[in-house]
Amino acid sequence: MSLPTKFLKTLTSIKKDLTEDIDAVFKRDPAARNSLEVILTYPGIHALILHRGAHCLWNNEQKLAARVISYGSRIITGIEIHPAAKIGKRFFIDHGVGVVIGETAEIGNDVTLYHGVTLGGVSWNNGKRHPTLEDGVTVGAGAKVLGPFTVGKNAKIGSNAVVVKPVPAGATMVGNAARMISDHHDEKGNPIAEKSQDAKPQEKTASSKQATARDTAFQAYGIDPTSQDPVAEAFAKMLEHIQQSENRLDQLQAAMCKIDPNFCKKEYDKLCLEEFDVIGKDEADENK
């Protein structure tokens, strides 16, 4: 094949890949309005274009030039992708700041990463050190996928999850350390036996509700529109527990008073939930 023909074929391939990448942005980001805006303002697209150039140089033994391009891409986009990393088609990095993709990472087609994601290694040994993400995988904001294992097709990694073991296809991993949420696997990744067809209607209903909860469990940012502030929820549970403890102390005090009437003279300060309703107080003060 002559050089001009080879060059033309390469340009055609680059144009096709870029078109697919832009289409992937429109499918996965409702904020995208037109192709020009995506090309000019989306750092994920910039990082991907520069990586493909750096990856080509790396494969042609121009490693220093490849690393220079990779470093420049990191400065411009805030996304660090090693030139040796293998990335498939229609790859989308949303926002992108803080994304790190290691040297031996392999990414399939139609994969989505949110900002702050790390595809890293846990070993200093040569060879495969970083994860492999198969087609259709989605990794939420701030998640860390660490080690030379495979994340199966269409699996989802929740926000801020830390994954250090293989993930079956279609599973959802959430938490730190990540636990599995799947209709077909337990938290250890073992297949769940199928229930018999003569299962009770109540069991089927419960299973259906559980499946619905699992389907909505993954959120790229770790929260959905109906979620409450997790810190506020934690404090509310603590206060509820304190209230239950005080009620139990009142019962114990009443029992002790029957044995020793003098015991009732000893009072203790009790907590009031209204005293902790800081938000309610602030709103009341503003309305005055």
Side-chain angles (χ1 to χ4, degrees):
M1 184 183 297
S2 63
L3 184 60
T5 303
K6 185 177 181 180
F7 180 71
L8 182 61
K9 185 176 180 181
T10 302
L11 288 179
T12 303
S13 177
I14 292 173
K15 181 180 178 181
K16 181 181 177 182
D17 290 340
L18 181 59
T19 301
E20 290 183 346
D21 294 335
I22 293 173
D23 290 340
V25 172
F26 285 118
K27 291 179 181 178
R28 299 177 221 172
D29 185 5
R33 293 180 293 183
N34 56 69
S35 298
L36 182 62
E37 181 184 79
V38 171
I39 293 174
L40 294 179
T41 66
Y42 274 63
I45 290 292
H46 302 158
L48 188 55
I49 293 172
L50 291 171
H51 168 73
R52 286 185 173 147
H55 185 67
C56 180
L57 291 173
W58 184 273
N59 290 336
N60 285 279
E61 301 302 323
Q62 301 296 322
K63 299 192 184 316
L64 177 58
R67 290 305 298 266
V68 170
I69 292 176
S70 175
Y71 183 69
S73 175
R74 174 187 175 185
I75 295 174
I76 296 170
T77 66
I79 300 169
E80 181 172 350
I81 308 176
H82 194 283
K86 299 177 181 178
I87 297 178
K89 297 181 179 180
R90 297 175 295 279
F91 177 53
F92 177 46
I93 304 176
D94 197 2
H95 299 293
V97 175
V99 169
V100 177
I101 300 175
E103 177 184 8
T104 60
E106 298 179 39
I107 299 175
N109 300 326
D110 303 299
V111 172
T112 302
L113 304 185
Y114 287 81
H115 56 275
V117 169
T118 299
L119 305 183
V122 293
S123 171
W124 290 349
N125 298 326
N126 293 327
K128 179 70 171 173
R129 306 186 306 280
H130 303 90
T132 296
L133 275 54
E134 294 186 343
D135 298 348
V137 171
T138 301
V139 185
K144 315 300 177 189
V145 187
L146 309 174
F149 55 84
T150 298
V151 178
K153 288 185 178 180
N154 300 315
K156 296 179 176 64
I157 310 298
S159 174
N160 293 319
V162 178
V163 183
V164 293
K165 59 184 179 181
V167 179
T172 298
M173 304 292 289
V174 297
N176 181 7
R179 64 186 186 279
M180 186 179 300
I181 300 176
S182 170
D183 292 332
H184 308 291
H185 301 83
D186 59 20
E187 292 188 359
K188 296 181 178 179
N190 300 318
I192 299 175
E194 295 293 336
K195 293 184 179 179
S196 59
Q197 296 181 355
D198 58 346
K200 296 180 180 180
Q202 295 86 350
E203 293 179 353
K204 292 182 179 180
T205 302
S207 176
S208 177
K209 290 181 179 179
Q210 187 177 16
T212 302
R214 284 172 173 170
D215 290 341
T216 59
F218 171 78
Q219 297 293 334
Y221 294 99
I223 195 168
D224 59 59
T226 61
S227 296
Q228 301 297 323
D229 183 352
V231 177
E233 285 186 341
F235 274 105
K237 290 179 181 179
M238 291 173 61
L239 292 174
E240 182 181 358
H241 178 72
I242 292 172
Q243 191 71 29
Q244 292 174 354
S245 300
E246 286 189 345
N247 292 336
R248 186 60 175 166
L249 285 173
D250 290 340
Q251 295 174 3
L252 292 173
Q253 186 181 36
M256 290 295 296
C257 288
K258 293 179 180 179
I259 301 174
D260 181 7
N262 294 326
F263 185 82
C264 294
K265 297 179 181 179
K266 302 176 182 179
E267 295 291 339
Y268 62 94
D269 294 334
K270 296 183 179 180
L271 292 175
C272 179
L273 292 178
E274 286 75 11
E275 296 177 357
F276 291 87
D277 190 8
V278 179
I279 297 176
K281 285 183 178 180
D282 292 341
E283 292 178 352
D285 293 340
E286 291 177 359
N287 294 330
K288 287 183 179 180

